[in-house]
Amino acid sequence: MTIVDTPTDAAPTAPTGGPELPQERRLVTEIPGPQSRRLLERKAEAVAKGVGHTIPVATVAAGGGVLVDADGNSLIDLGSGIAVTGVGNSAPRVVEAVQRQVAQFTHTCFTISPYDSYVEVAEALNRLTPGDFVKRSALFNSGAEAVENAVKIARHYTKKQGVVVFDHAYHGRTNLTMALTAKSLPYKSGFGPFAPEVYRVPLSYPYRDELSGADAASRAIAQIEAQVRAENLAAILIEPIQGEGGFIVPAEGFLPALQRWANDNGVVFIADEVQTGFARTGTMFASEQFGIVPDLVTTAKGIAGGLPLSAVTGRAEIMDSAQVGGLGGTYGGNPIACAAALATIETYEQENLTERARAIGGILAARLNELKATDPRVGDVRGLGAMMAMELVDPATGAPDAALASRVAASVIAQGVVVLTCGTWGNVIRFLPPLVISDELLNEGIDIVGKALIEC
Ligand SMILES: *Cc1c(COP(=O)(O)O)cnc(C)c1O
């Protein structure tokens, strides 16, 4: 006789993700519900505490503009897993390409025996990134790894060591990228010593410094010339719009002036487009909108519909300077991730998602500026395309109000909307919706943010 033990509190069968999921906000329990609580308890017992979480739910499916949890709640997704799922979760082309590839072969190590999809991703990146010079690409696994490799390549090419980065910058959590990242807590504190030959200079932060782009660039360049000098400097590394640092959009002219100085002084100009890349800002890469053509571009997040992949793309003479065997890694450019990237890039292009990002940006900018007009605690609204944010401040002093940002975010999340904060002072609420979200869901999400702001 077989005894079937039927658990009474089993999670309902997980729905399939993708755009077919009902596109609605639906709360059937409080957030987190009982199934999510159970997962979070197990997480606390099994997973290192340093690995945090923002949204206290156990995800079981996601697609379009929603994320469904184990209790059956459907949350509006205004975060895209930090700007990763621009094409949506389980996007149909990505699912199909991954399924095909996983059944074909899962791994060879590209540096052992090459395959077509890696080369095709490199060709696509060489075509899509700014600049009509001859380019090469190399593929890696994470954004931090791409940034590390861009610095390695720039040092090898210039035979110099210094790297200039900016206030508020975020470039990752590995040893070199911790050194490149500005914010101490939580990213660096206690994890030193950090890699040497990294120099931090002031950014252009129009809301707080009120400098023109040209003046902010002169200030940065004067500091570089006084404290580093071009003859010691391999690269200037900058996010065209800072991501974790607070969605800071530099004043017009800042980035071109830096690039000009770098080009004139034998310094490699690297744009870290890990967060801004792939249609997010309304063009394939944000650099295009600032009139810059970087020597090297790092990409990751939006590249492969959620599969881990990253890249460095740039001028052939710089990229080719590293010796054979000097670049690579066991998993870099994994065939499943490459298949996903090709399907993702096809989706951006076929579905006109750059245009969709601009439309989303229009809605976000209009709605957030309405909030700003009626609430002096909204100090600044900024961003490009589907990468927008509002900076919350004390209206009397302009001081960052991180407590308000956390209260608003917590209230919004409890009402079934995924929203993220950022900024050196944690006082910025950022919006990074999937580019396939409907106007209805987007507006409903912003409504909830607006109400939470009034209530907090
Ligand atoms: C997220 C991010 C990184 C790091 O990417 P990981 O994949 O998390 O290593 C680097 N640069 C920028 C601009 C980022 O937003």
Side-chain angles (χ1 to χ4, degrees), residues 82 141-145 147 170-174 239 241 243-244 272-276 298 300-301 310:
I82 321 186
N141 302 289
S142 68
E145 207 187 348
V147 172
Y170 181 83
H171 298 291
R173 288 182 173 94
T174 58
E239 301 153 83
I241 301 174
E244 307 305 297
D272 182 352
E273 292 238 25
V274 166
Q275 192 155 157
T276 49
T298 56
K301 293 190 166 97
S310 68

Side-chain angles (χ1 to χ4, degrees), residues 301-315:
K301 293 190 166 97
I303 195 173
L307 275 86
L309 186 71
S310 68
V312 182
T313 301
R315 291 183 185 275

Side-chain angles (χ1 to χ4, degrees), residues 99-225:
Q99 285 174 341
R100 189 160 17 91
Q101 182 58 48
V102 81
Q104 227 169 328
F105 64 95
T106 49
H107 173 82
T108 66
C109 189
F110 186 78
T111 60
I112 301 299
S113 73
Y115 38 88
D116 184 84
S117 58
Y118 184 118
V119 177
E120 210 178 324
V121 170
E123 289 166 347
L125 291 168
N126 297 349
R127 169 172 65 86
L128 291 169
T129 49
D132 48 17
F133 37 79
V134 180
K135 293 176 210 152
R136 306 270 191 266
S137 288
L139 305 185
F140 305 97
N141 302 289
S142 68
E145 207 187 348
V147 172
E148 290 239 2
N149 278 280
V151 170
K152 274 173 66 174
I153 294 164
R155 283 177 169 160
H156 204 292
Y157 174 72
T158 58
K159 302 184 171 60
K160 299 187 282 185
Q161 296 182 351
V163 182
V164 157
V165 289
F166 292 80
D167 286 337
H168 312 286
Y170 181 83
H171 298 291
R173 288 182 173 94
T174 58
N175 186 262
L176 174 58
T177 59
M178 277 193 294
L180 302 170
T181 290
K183 191 172 174 176
S184 178
L185 259 181
Y187 305 125
K188 302 171 73 165
S189 190
F191 297 129
F194 304 113
E197 287 306 314
V198 173
Y199 302 90
R200 193 169 308 285
V201 304
L203 186 74
S204 162
Y205 191 163
Y207 173 60
R208 293 197 174 274
D209 66 21
E210 292 174 1
L211 289 180
S212 71
D215 288 349
S218 300
R219 176 176 67 176
I221 290 165
Q223 187 164 324
I224 295 168
E225 285 176 336

